[in-house]
């Protein structure tokens, strides 16, 4: 007879496995004759090393499965836990022995292998007779019980529910049954849920989102105890989706629980029952939690990074099951994703409310920045610079402020550290853009905008912009006449953010991507209520008569379509009006032709820029002959004066203006001399 060599640290579980296999082989008729037992097989099931004898028959090896129970109290506790589980989930207590069988098959793969090795003529039938015998339940009630446990997330199945050896038991449930004393529903919940931290913001801090609709819907729907309350929040990472969910839960006076989170405390992973099949596990957890909290009116669930759950449908679980989860859940849930494109339409249609959470506008980001950098003594200019960084999010601002405070920087050093942390983060994300913003060297003066149209047109445009109407203005004329400056001046006067669109923002080397970029620019401006300035628009709206490639024509068509649909003020500037597509002119409400400065304006600007009270007779005479100057020419003088502020620039400025005027003279035509 074989002899034991060592003991397993969980011998009571091995004892249970050995006892269950013994019953299986002795209570299923002829089972012992339909398998070839081996010493290694038995040794692995009972977790004990066995020495070989010359003769080990099936009957001798069968007896080796009956090892003494080294921890009867622990064994009894596991069985009490199984009974308590049945009570919590309102199941017949006789189901407990079947759950014990399933538990053994999950924690002891060698016991499951033994069943695979039994070559019964009708294995499914014989195994069902065994389940009926040990539980006292008939086939119908056994299948019904298994289906109930599957629907509640305690078990999961890749095959029919009557195939008990191949049912998978939830990892937290396995852990509770074998390592704890199960006493209550709350104890089981603690294995599946993590309390979300307290919110760092209030709901009013998210006024850049339609929080009024979100709040009112959740208040009304939860008060009426509707089923299928699911809200999807999507957008770029770091825009505050999770914090919004926490603030909403606080507003509703509900405890927010996070599904499937793994918590690290004191350097240790607290959920020891984690699995590599994370998405299957999270769906199973969600189902269990919905069952346990079905009568609760004080909780709210959060499923973060939910896109992976939907992507794995059909491979790990069925789409139909997810559809039912979204339609029948009794506990309200907030789902969060950074990649809404991963969710099929069939899922999106089942969310009661879908909200995009974009990064706040600059004014809101400025307020959030001021709050985050409190104590760093940053200047207002530094705060504005941080808030104006492209693709910046509240999370990135918060992290940069945390690092800066940790290293103990203040004032200008704090500003430098903040910007460095922000740049490094955005660079790693592929989002860093060190954009050069439009800058004016001399303040814009609308009186210097010389139009060939009546001055009353300016008043009409001003009124339309002040009312937020979708006015379209085409500005054409020589470079430097104030086309771009006028658009910036007008939108700033009415506190409207102006998005300047250049050729590089649109064009792509990939066919079709340029059109997508155009569409996205217009959609973003529409949603954020930003005005648009299409600078050097001739490079984007070149006459289709001159184009040869189909994708170039498609780009023009896309821009024209978006122009007609745009809901905010739009400006377009060009130095080459004749290069524009003919259909462009019909789509603009106003066409402003900007002209060169008059003599009086030239004299006035020369005095203003050079800070001189009176001009010499020679200066006045020479400047009066210059008919092709623009405010842009005087802006160049202002820039040059910055380079050498102590130098007298009167003579060099006059010479530069003379040269510039001469350069702009039209070339003489070549003809015949008569």
């Amino acid at each position: 007879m074989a002899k034991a060599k060592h003991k397993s640290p969980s011998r009571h579980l091995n004892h249970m496995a050995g006892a269950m296999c013994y019953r299986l082989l002795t209570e299923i008729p002829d089972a012992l004759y339909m398998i070839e037992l081996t010493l290694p097989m038995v040794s692995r099931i009972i977790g004990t090393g066995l020495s070989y004898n010359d003769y080990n028959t099936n009957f001798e090896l069968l007896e080796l499965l009956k090892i003494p129970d080294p921890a009867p109290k622990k064994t009894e506790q596991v069985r009490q836990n199984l009974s308590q589980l049945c009570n919590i989930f309102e199941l017949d207590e006789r189901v407990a022995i079947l759950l014990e069988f399933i538990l053994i098959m999950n924690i002891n793969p060698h016991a499951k292998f033994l069943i695979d090795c039994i070559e019964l003529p009708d294995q499914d039938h014989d195994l069902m007779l065994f389940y009926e015998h040990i539980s006292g339940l008939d086939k119908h009630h056994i299948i019904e019980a298994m289906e109930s446990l599957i629907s509640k997330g305690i078990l999961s199945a890749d095959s029919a529910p009557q195939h008990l050896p191949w049912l998978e038991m939830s990892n937290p449930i396995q852990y509770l049954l074998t390592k704890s004393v199960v006493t209550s529903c709350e104890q089981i919940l603690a294995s599946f849920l993590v309390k979300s931290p307290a919110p760092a913001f209030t709901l009013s801090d998210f006024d850049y989102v339609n929080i009024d609709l979100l709040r009112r819907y959740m208040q009304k729907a939860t008060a009426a105890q509707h089923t299928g309350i699911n809200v999807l929040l999507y957008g770029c990472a770091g825009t505050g989706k999770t914090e919004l969910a926490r603030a909403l839960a606080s507003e509703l006076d509900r405890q927010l629980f996070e599904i499937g989170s793994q918590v690290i405390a004191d350097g240790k992973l607290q959920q020891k029952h984690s699995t590599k099949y994370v998405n299957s596990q999270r769906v199973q957890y969600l189902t269990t939690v919905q069952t346990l909290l079905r009568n609760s009116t004080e909780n709210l669930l959060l499923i973060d990074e939910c896109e992976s759950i939907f992507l794995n449908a059909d491979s790990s679980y069925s789409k139909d099951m997810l559809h039912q989860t979204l339609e029948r859940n009794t506990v309200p849930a907030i789902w969060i994703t950074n990649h809404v494109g991963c969710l099929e339409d069939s899922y999106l249609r089942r969310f009661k409310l879908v909200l995009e959470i974009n990064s706040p506008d600059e004014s809101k980001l400025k307020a959030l920045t001021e709050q985050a950098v409190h104590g760093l003594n940053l200047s207002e200019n530094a705060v504005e610079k941080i808030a104006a960084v492209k693709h910046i999010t509240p999370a990135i601002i918060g992290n940069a402020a945390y690092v800066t405070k940790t290293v103990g920087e203040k004032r200008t050093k704090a500003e430098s550290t903040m910007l460095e942390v922000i740049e490094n983060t955005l660079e790693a994300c592929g989002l860093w853009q060190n954009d050069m913003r439009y800058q004016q060297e001399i303040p814009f003066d609308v009186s210097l905008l010389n139009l060939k149209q009546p001055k009353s047109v300016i008043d009409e445009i001003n009124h339309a912009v002040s009312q937020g109407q979708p006015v379209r203005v085409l500005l054409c004329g020589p470079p430097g006449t104030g086309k771009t400056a006028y658009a910036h001046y007008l939108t700033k006067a009415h506190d409207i953010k102006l998005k300047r669109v250049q050729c590089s923002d649109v064009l792509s080397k990939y066919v079709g991507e340029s059109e997508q970029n155009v569409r996205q620019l217009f959609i973003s401006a529409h949603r954020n209520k930003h005005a648009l300035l299409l600078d050097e628009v001739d490079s984007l709206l070149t006459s289709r008569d001159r184009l040869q490639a189909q994708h170039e024509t498609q780009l023009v068509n896309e821009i024209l379509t978006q122009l007609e649909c745009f809901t905010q003020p739009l400006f377009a500037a060009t130095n080459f009006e004749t290069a524009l597509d003919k259909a462009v002119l019909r789509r603009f409400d106003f066409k402003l032709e900007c002209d060169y400065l008059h003599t009086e304006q030239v004299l006035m600007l020369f005095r203003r820029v050079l800070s001189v009270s009176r001009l010499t007779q020679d200066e006045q005479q020479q400047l009066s002959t210059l008919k092709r100057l623009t405010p842009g020419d005087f802006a160049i003088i202002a820039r040059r004066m910055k380079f050498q502020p102590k130098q007298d620039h009167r003579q060099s400025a006059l010479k530069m203006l003379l040269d510039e005027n001469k350069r702009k003279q039209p070339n003489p035509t070549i003809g015949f001399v008569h």
Side-chain angles (χ1 to χ4, degrees):
M1 182 68 66
K3 298 180 181 180
K5 288 185 178 180
H6 65 273
K7 295 183 178 181
S8 165
S10 301
R11 285 297 307 278
H12 68 291
L13 296 177
N14 292 328
H15 160 78
M16 294 175 71
M20 185 62 73
C21 289
Y22 183 90
R23 290 193 67 176
L24 188 77
L25 292 172
T26 55
E27 296 181 22
I28 295 179
D30 299 327
L32 192 58
Y33 298 99
M34 308 302 289
I35 186 174
E36 183 179 347
L37 293 176
T38 65
L39 196 64
M41 182 189 299
V42 174
S43 176
R44 293 186 185 108
I45 291 172
I46 62 176
T48 302
L50 299 171
S51 60
Y52 283 88
N53 284 342
D54 293 336
Y55 302 101
N56 289 128
T57 64
N58 266 15
F59 290 98
E60 291 174 327
L61 293 172
L62 175 67
E63 293 302 315
L64 293 178
L65 291 171
K66 295 193 301 181
I67 60 174
D69 190 349
K73 290 185 178 179
K74 290 185 178 180
T75 302
E76 181 58 27
Q77 185 59 63
V78 171
R79 288 178 175 147
Q80 287 180 8
N81 288 344
L82 289 163
S83 296
Q84 183 65 15
L85 190 69
C86 290
N87 291 334
I88 290 172
F89 286 96
E90 301 175 353
L91 297 169
D92 191 312
E93 284 197 10
R94 291 175 290 179
V95 175
I97 185 63
L98 300 176
L99 284 172
E100 179 180 335
F101 177 83
I102 295 169
L103 174 65
I104 289 168
M105 295 300 123
N106 276 260
I107 64 178
N108 194 318
H110 310 295
K112 185 186 292 187
F113 177 71
L114 181 141
I115 293 177
D116 283 335
C117 292
I118 302 175
E119 298 180 0
L120 295 169
D122 192 350
Q123 189 180 60
D124 291 344
H125 174 73
D126 290 336
L127 284 174
M128 181 54 69
L129 291 176
F130 173 70
Y131 307 146
E132 291 176 340
H133 174 69
I134 63 175
S135 68
L137 297 168
D138 59 29
K139 178 179 180 180
H140 171 75
H141 286 98
I142 290 172
I143 294 175
E144 190 177 67
M146 295 304 109
E147 288 177 340
S148 175
L149 288 165
I150 291 170
S151 69
K152 293 170 181 176
I154 301 301
L155 303 176
S156 60
D158 289 330
S159 57
Q162 61 263 36
H163 295 157
L164 271 61
W166 293 274
L167 296 179
E168 292 187 12
M169 181 175 285
S170 169
N171 287 318
I173 295 296
Q174 289 185 44
Y175 186 83
L176 278 174
L177 292 174
T178 58
K179 303 292 184 182
S180 303
V181 177
V182 178
T183 58
S184 66
C185 171
E186 289 73 21
Q187 184 188 11
I188 296 176
L189 276 172
S191 298
F192 292 94
L193 298 175
V194 175
K195 279 188 177 181
S196 192
F201 303 94
T202 64
L203 208 55
S204 60
D205 290 318
F206 296 90
D207 54 3
Y208 56 92
V209 183
N210 192 351
I211 54 174
D212 183 55
L213 172 62
L214 178 61
R215 180 200 293 113
R216 287 189 292 113
Y217 167 70
M218 291 298 288
Q219 286 174 338
K220 298 288 186 181
T222 54
Q225 297 186 9
H226 291 174
T227 58
I229 301 176
N230 291 285
V231 174
L232 177 67
L233 305 179
Y234 73 95
C236 297
T239 52
K241 298 182 291 296
T242 302
E243 279 298 333
L244 173 58
R246 291 169 181 164
L248 177 63
S250 177
E251 179 84 6
L252 298 173
D253 196 23
R254 285 179 173 250
Q255 176 60 57
L256 184 66
F257 288 105
E258 299 182 14
I259 295 286
S261 300
Q262 292 182 336
V263 179
I264 296 178
D266 299 326
K268 296 180 180 179
L269 184 66
Q270 297 301 297
Q271 285 188 292
K272 302 173 185 177
H273 41 256
S274 59
T275 174
K276 64 180 180 179
Y277 303 109
V278 176
N279 298 306
S280 300
Q281 188 188 63
R282 292 178 76 196
V283 173
Q284 197 173 12
Y285 289 6
L286 178 60
T287 306
T288 304
V289 168
Q290 287 287 353
T291 301
L292 293 172
L293 291 176
R294 62 188 179 278
N295 297 319
S296 170
T297 59
E298 301 174 351
N299 301 298
L300 190 62
L301 300 181
L302 175 63
I303 304 98
D304 206 349
E305 298 182 359
C306 68
E307 64 276 357
S308 58
I309 290 177
F310 295 99
L311 281 172
N312 281 273
D314 280 346
S315 60
S316 303
Y317 35 81
S318 70
K319 286 184 179 179
D320 183 58
M321 188 194 71
L322 282 182
H323 290 165
Q324 291 180 26
T325 299
L326 292 172
E327 291 171 349
R328 302 177 186 176
N329 59 302
T330 55
V331 184
I334 298 176
W335 304 65
I336 292 177
T337 179
N338 301 334
H339 307 284
V340 71
C342 296
L343 277 66
E344 294 181 9
D345 291 348
S346 63
Y347 299 130
L348 294 174
R349 288 195 300 269
R350 285 172 166 83
F351 285 99
K352 294 298 187 292
L353 196 59
V354 179
L355 291 177
E356 182 178 14
I357 312 300
N358 290 312
S359 189
D361 59 23
E362 278 189 32
S363 61
K364 187 63 182 178
L365 282 171
K366 182 182 176 183
L368 292 173
T369 303
E370 289 173 344
Q371 181 179 347
V373 303
H374 180 71
L376 295 177
N377 299 334
L378 293 187
S379 66
E380 184 176 354
N381 182 59
V383 171
E384 290 178 350
K385 187 186 295 185
I386 291 169
V389 173
K390 199 166 186 178
H391 301 304
I392 193 75
T393 65
I396 294 176
I397 293 172
N399 289 339
Y402 161 76
V403 172
T404 306
K405 290 177 181 179
T406 301
V407 299
E409 303 288 13
K410 299 282 186 180
R411 300 181 180 84
T412 55
K413 287 186 177 180
E415 176 186 347
S416 177
T417 301
M418 285 278 295
L419 290 171
E420 182 180 356
V421 173
I422 290 168
E423 178 180 346
N424 291 341
T425 302
L426 290 174
E427 184 72 44
C429 297
L431 296 174
W432 175 250
Q433 292 184 18
N434 189 14
D435 286 347
M436 295 176 287
R437 292 190 157 215
Y438 176 77
Q439 298 180 0
Q440 290 177 304
E441 296 299 332
I442 56 177
F444 178 79
D445 186 344
V446 70
S447 67
L448 300 177
L449 187 67
N450 292 334
L451 302 177
K452 294 182 179 180
Q453 288 73 31
K455 288 288 186 180
S456 60
V457 173
I458 293 291
D459 296 330
E460 293 182 51
I461 296 172
N462 182 68
H463 177 74
V465 173
S466 69
Q467 300 299 311
Q469 295 178 0
V471 60
R472 304 176 203 144
V473 181
L474 176 65
L475 298 135
C476 52
T481 50
K483 301 182 295 295
T484 300
Y486 173 65
H488 283 275
Y489 161 79
L490 188 58
T491 51
K492 185 177 182 180
H494 296 290
D495 198 24
I496 298 174
K497 177 72 180 293
L498 180 67
K499 168 65 179 176
R500 186 182 183 189
V501 179
Q502 298 170 294
C503 195
S504 58
D505 297 320
V506 171
L507 298 183
S508 169
K509 63 181 179 180
Y510 299 107
V511 175
E513 194 167 282
S514 297
E515 295 91 306
Q516 293 178 15
N517 293 340
V518 166
R519 183 173 181 272
Q520 191 56 46
L521 281 168
F522 275 88
I523 289 175
S524 176
H526 161 73
R527 290 177 176 173
N528 296 312
K529 296 185 177 180
H530 292 169
L532 283 181
L533 168 60
L534 306 181
D535 214 355
E536 309 295 346
V537 71
D538 49 276
S539 61
L540 296 173
L541 288 173
T542 305
S543 174
R544 285 169 287 188
D545 296 336
R546 304 182 183 185
L547 301 178
Q548 296 180 346
Q550 183 180 3
H551 66 269
E552 294 175 327
T553 303
Q554 289 174 343
L555 175 60
V556 173
N557 292 339
E558 180 65 31
I559 296 175
L560 293 177
T561 300
Q562 294 297 335
L563 280 175
E564 291 185 330
C565 301
F566 193 50
T567 60
Q568 304 300 317
L570 182 138
F571 302 87
T574 178
N575 302 330
F576 304 101
E577 177 194 351
T578 57
L580 293 175
D581 192 273
K582 294 177 182 178
V584 172
L585 301 178
R586 296 196 302 271
R587 285 170 168 81
F588 283 91
D589 304 307
F590 297 95
K591 175 187 170 186
L592 303 184
E593 298 179 76
C594 304
D595 207 352
Y596 294 112
L597 295 170
H598 304 315
T599 299
E600 295 78 8
Q601 295 170 326
V602 171
L603 298 176
M604 181 270 291
L605 269 178
F606 192 87
R607 290 194 300 269
R608 181 188 296 176
V609 173
L610 288 139
S611 301
V612 294
S613 56
R614 296 184 64 181
L615 300 178
T616 67
Q617 186 175 358
D618 182 58
E619 287 172 338
Q620 186 168 343
Q621 183 178 1
Q622 292 192 70
L623 289 171
S624 298
T625 64
L626 307 181
K627 305 300 182 183
R628 292 185 176 272
L629 295 182
T630 68
D633 298 323
F634 287 90
I636 295 174
I637 294 175
R639 278 179 54 82
R640 290 187 178 182
M641 290 174 65
K642 289 182 180 179
F643 304 149
Q644 294 179 311
K646 296 182 179 180
Q647 181 178 323
D648 184 358
H649 292 272
R650 288 180 72 159
Q651 289 299 319
S652 61
L654 182 58
K655 183 179 185 304
M656 193 214 81
L657 292 174
L658 289 167
D659 292 341
E660 192 66 23
N661 189 81
K662 182 179 180 181
R663 185 184 64 81
K664 295 177 184 176
Q665 296 299 321
N667 295 324
T669 57
I670 300 175
F672 295 99
V673 178
H674 296 284

